[in-house]
Amino acid sequence: MLPARLLRQALPWPAPSFGYSTAGPTMEEKPVESSIRTKLLQALQPVHLEVLNESSMHAVPRGSETHFKVVIASPRFAGLPLLQRHRLVNEILQAELAGPVHALSIQAKTPQQWEENQSVSQSPGCLGGSKHDPQMATKLGSQG
């Protein structure tokens, strides 16, 4: 992949932007998130990528890496219907989806679509049955 300064000159669209969280554990402490990010960067060479760990919105232990949202804009999506884009991302992340990742939300756009509309839809709150289990806090340990 080209360095960012060369990439800006070579691409007909804006330079890549990648969503990195600065709060909480480092990437070394987030192996699943890091793996998702690395695989998508290598396979799709996106102009925009956000990998958001939304596990804390669900009834899982603190620090879990089970629920993710991916917002990605890649030239590889040009001419592909939305379903094919999602299948492509799922194929790239098949090991994570077969293992630690319980849920993956995908917002896949072409660079032109991203340039025209950079909005990201909000994820709904968890409605899972265990979220309403009065014993869940005890089962998971204190998260407060």
Side-chain angles (χ1 to χ4, degrees):
M1 186 165 198
L2 292 171
R5 63 181 171 73
L6 296 177
L7 194 57
R8 280 190 290 274
Q9 296 168 354
L11 297 176
W13 49 82
S17 57
F18 305 109
Y20 293 95
S21 172
T22 57
T26 64
M27 279 299 160
E28 292 80 36
E29 296 169 342
K30 297 180 178 183
V32 178
E33 182 177 338
S34 180
S35 177
I36 291 171
R37 185 179 314 284
T38 299
K39 287 182 176 184
L40 293 175
L41 284 171
Q42 290 176 350
L44 299 176
Q45 299 181 343
V47 297
H48 179 83
L49 175 62
E50 294 177 56
V51 177
L52 306 168
N53 184 347
E54 297 186 330
S55 301
S56 64
M57 297 169 53
H58 301 274
V60 296
R62 180 175 294 197
S64 293
E65 292 188 284
T66 56
H67 297 70
F68 287 90
K69 177 191 288 186
V70 169
V71 180
I72 184 168
S74 171
R76 290 276 314 273
F77 297 147
L80 293 179
L82 188 58
L83 182 59
Q84 290 300 106
R85 296 174 191 183
H86 284 227
R87 286 179 177 161
L88 182 57
V89 171
N90 285 335
E91 182 180 316
I92 293 164
L93 301 177
Q94 63 185 330
E96 289 77 9
L97 291 168
V101 176
H102 169 74
L104 178 66
S105 169
I106 304 168
Q107 294 184 28
K109 299 180 179 189
T110 65
Q112 181 180 357
Q113 289 170 327
W114 178 251
E115 182 65 26
E116 292 170 1
N117 180 3
Q118 296 184 5
S119 66
V120 176
S121 60
Q122 295 290 74
S123 298
C126 177
L127 297 177
S130 61
K131 188 78 168 185
H132 305 289
D133 180 349
Q135 301 300 318
M136 188 51 60
T138 303
K139 293 174 185 174
L140 295 174
S142 176
Q143 291 192 23

